Amino acid sequence: MKKIIVACGSGIATSTVARNALEEKLKAKGIDATQVSMDQTSIPQLRSKADQFDLAITTGKFTEDIGVPVLNGLPFLTGVGEDELVQKVIDALDLKPKA
């Protein structure tokens, strides 16, 4: 199972929106909760938790190297570029739809 952490300023508001959007988009592509688990945190706490995850998505500006790929989650809030971001997540984690 691949693990994704979604981070925003507080770890509550926009990370919830981004997480829900990603879950819906992955499910629509045949990727479900048996393949991916997600958690949320605040951007300040991201560095201390990153080693527990395969991928990080942030809704705010974040440029640090934390040892895992970091994707900008802004498209999940705006809807602009959302499909491309979902594909980046799928590619980064080598996810395959369930048959």
Side-chain angles (χ1 to χ4, degrees):
M1 175 175 294
K2 300 295 183 170
K3 296 170 73 177
I4 300 170
I5 190 159
V6 183
C8 69
S10 67
I12 300 169
T14 59
S15 59
T16 300
V17 173
R19 177 182 177 168
N20 290 343
L22 178 57
E23 285 175 342
E24 287 176 20
K25 291 284 187 175
L26 289 176
K27 186 176 179 181
K29 291 188 174 281
I31 297 164
D32 65 24
T34 64
Q35 295 168 276
V36 176
S37 70
M38 291 189 217
D39 200 356
Q40 292 170 231
T41 193
S42 66
I43 288 175
Q45 294 177 330
L46 184 57
R47 187 182 320 116
S48 67
K49 295 182 176 193
D51 64 343
Q52 302 166 39
F53 295 89
D54 301 298
L55 177 71
I57 297 173
T58 64
T59 62
K61 186 175 180 179
F62 189 83
T63 58
E64 289 181 50
D65 180 355
I66 55 172
V68 298
V70 178
L71 298 175
N72 182 330
L74 191 58
F76 292 130
L77 306 179
T78 65
V80 177
E82 195 173 29
D83 291 334
E84 293 87 351
L85 179 55
V86 171
Q87 191 59 52
K88 285 181 183 179
V89 170
I90 290 169
D91 293 344
L93 298 176
D94 196 29
L95 297 172
K96 306 285 186 239
K98 286 198 160 188

